Amino acid sequence: QIQLVESGGGLVQAGGSLRLSCVASGRIRSIDKMGWYRQAPGKERELVAGFTSDGSVDYADSVKGRFTISREGAWNTVYLQMNTLRPEDTAVYYCSATSCYGPVERVSCADYWGQGTHVTVSS
């Protein structure tokens, strides 16, 4: 099983920056997707930014131009650089990974989640 641990959250003023980190550990067969989600109070969890196995990146419209996802070559560590933070960015941020395995004829995939890290942006 894959364990994901997020860090880097905290309290920051509007306009400030934070860098979140996600470290994957455990018996990793492979990681095919990895990304960041967030959930604000009273709202559904939403995708913030994510990598796919082909190297493409998806961003939520609300964070384009402000947030950047990156990785250290392998999938073991993924970052989320958050700039020009707004109070609306206040949420619990979760790291997610998708691991696929098995022969191509019957590949199976499983999703893994970290415990979350709090980000609070004050005005």
Side-chain angles (χ1 to χ4, degrees):
Q1 185 174 346
I2 297 174
Q3 292 83 46
L4 301 173
V5 179
E6 306 100 331
S7 62
L11 174 64
V12 65
Q13 283 191 293
S17 299
L18 286 173
R19 189 191 191 199
L20 306 184
S21 299
C22 174
V23 178
S25 62
R27 297 286 294 182
I28 303 174
R29 192 181 305 272
S30 66
I31 295 179
D32 299 276
K33 298 179 181 179
M34 205 161 183
W36 292 92
Y37 291 73
R38 69 184 181 187
Q39 187 167 21
K43 297 184 178 180
E44 298 294 324
R45 187 174 298 186
E46 65 173 345
L47 173 70
V48 178
F51 285 109
T52 60
S53 58
D54 66 355
S56 64
V57 180
D58 292 320
Y59 291 98
D61 289 340
S62 60
V63 308
K64 287 181 178 178
R66 300 189 297 119
F67 291 10
T68 303
I69 188 172
S70 62
R71 64 180 181 179
E72 289 185 348
W75 295 111
N76 300 73
T77 304
V78 176
Y79 304 97
L80 183 68
Q81 179 67 46
M82 305 186 295
N83 298 326
T84 319
L85 283 162
R86 306 167 180 168
E88 307 93 271
D89 296 318
T90 296
V92 179
Y93 285 71
Y94 298 90
C95 179
S96 178
T98 299
S99 179
C100 301
Y101 57 94
V104 66
E105 295 83 7
R106 55 179 189 274
V107 63
S108 297
C109 299
D111 295 328
Y112 300 88
W113 295 87
Q115 82 289 348
T117 184
H118 284 80
V119 172
T120 302
V121 184
S122 63
S123 59

